[in-house]
């Protein structure tokens, strides 16, 4: 009698487990679901859920971050804080995500929950350049006041850690009336001709 070796066939893949996509799991996770909850609702093993989340590029949270995210009042406070950073300081979604220790997608969702409206990258650049221009003008006016009080351009450059050329540029931007070279002290008023 001849014995044949029979290799066991793998069990048929569960159609339902195949329909649970990594992206779908990631979306649920980023909405606040825990890995244990995803295991319970999907019927997948803990390891399979983790693997699919990693496959979708999910940034994993600590249990503390999950509790903070799920607590209603804390979530509203976080969303309001992110909106303030976004609207008043011109922060980007990436910076919001870093500040809240969440993903960009979760930061965007929190911003919208707080009533904020996401901007385009170009709008963010305009906001930031306006803020930089305002800071630069404030510095230029400060340099002008010190220059008109008698400080020299090299002294101002050393104090501010800027080059002499940059200080000259800022003084000109502030409309500073420049002293003749090698004349130290307050700027003189021009004599009126009669």
């Amino acid at each position: 009698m001849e014995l044949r070796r029979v290799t066991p066939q793998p069990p048929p893949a569960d159609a339902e487990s195949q329909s649970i996509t990594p992206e779908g799991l990631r979306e649920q996770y980023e909405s606040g679901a825990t890995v244990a909850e995803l295991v319970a609702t999907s019927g997948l093993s803990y390891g399979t859920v983790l693997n699919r989340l990693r496959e979708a590029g999910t940034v994993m949270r600590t249990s503390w971050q999950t509790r903070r995210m799920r607590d209603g009042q804390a979530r509203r406070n976080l969303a309001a804080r992110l909106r303030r950073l976004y609207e008043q300081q011109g922060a980007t979604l990436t910076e919001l995500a870093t500040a809240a220790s969440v993903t960009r997608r979760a930061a965007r969702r929190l911003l919208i929950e707080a009533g904020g409206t996401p901007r385009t990258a170009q709008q963010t650049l305009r906001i930031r350049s306006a803020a930089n221009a305002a800071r630069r003008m404030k510095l230029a006016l400060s340099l002008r006041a010190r220059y008109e009080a008698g400080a020299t351009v090299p002294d101002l450059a050393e104090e501010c850690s800027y080059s002499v050329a940059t200080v000259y540029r800022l003084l000109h931007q502030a409309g500073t009336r420049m002293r003749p070279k090698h004349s130290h002290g307050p700027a003189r008023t021009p004599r009126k001709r009669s």
Side-chain angles (χ1 to χ4, degrees):
M1 196 192 264
E2 188 179 316
L3 292 174
R4 283 191 303 181
R5 198 172 211 172
V6 178
T7 49
Q9 294 294 320
D14 183 7
E16 188 176 319
S17 72
Q18 293 303 320
S19 68
I20 301 169
T21 63
E23 289 73 27
L25 289 172
R26 175 181 176 170
E27 192 170 305
Q28 291 176 53
Y29 182 81
E30 288 180 348
S31 296
T34 63
V35 175
E37 289 169 340
L38 294 176
V39 167
T41 58
S42 68
L44 299 172
S45 71
Y46 195 89
T48 302
V49 169
L50 280 178
N51 287 338
R52 289 195 183 176
L53 286 171
R54 287 188 185 113
E55 182 182 326
T58 309
V59 176
M60 303 306 286
R61 302 182 298 265
T62 63
S63 58
W64 175 83
Q65 290 169 324
T66 300
R67 278 195 304 277
R68 187 170 135 201
M69 186 177 189
R70 294 175 71 159
D71 179 16
Q73 186 57 46
R75 185 177 175 90
R76 284 189 293 278
N77 291 344
L78 176 62
R81 182 172 146 254
L82 293 182
R83 182 178 178 187
R84 279 193 303 277
L85 285 172
Y86 193 73
E87 292 177 351
Q88 294 171 6
Q89 296 179 17
T92 63
L93 286 174
T94 303
E95 290 166 342
L96 294 183
T98 302
S101 300
V102 296
T103 63
R104 283 185 82 241
R105 183 184 287 175
R108 186 177 194 278
R109 193 174 296 123
L110 286 165
L111 174 67
I112 292 169
E113 283 175 24
T117 305
R119 330 178 262 272
T120 64
Q122 199 163 25
Q123 290 170 322
T124 299
L125 284 173
R126 274 197 296 267
I127 288 170
R128 289 198 159 184
S129 64
N132 287 341
R135 270 195 300 277
R136 196 168 172 85
M137 184 49 93
K138 185 176 178 181
L139 173 63
L141 292 172
S142 163
L143 289 173
R144 176 183 174 174
R146 292 194 309 214
Y147 179 79
E148 288 176 345
T152 65
V153 172
D155 291 341
L156 293 173
E158 190 175 327
E159 284 175 36
C160 298
S161 300
Y162 285 125
S163 69
V164 170
T166 300
V167 171
Y168 271 115
R169 199 171 19 253
L170 288 167
L171 289 171
H172 286 295
Q173 184 181 342
T176 308
R177 187 168 188 287
M178 303 305 290
R179 298 187 291 263
K181 285 190 179 193
H182 307 297
S183 174
H184 303 291
R188 288 181 260 165
T189 55
R191 284 190 249 161
K192 291 185 180 178
R193 291 187 169 185
S194 36

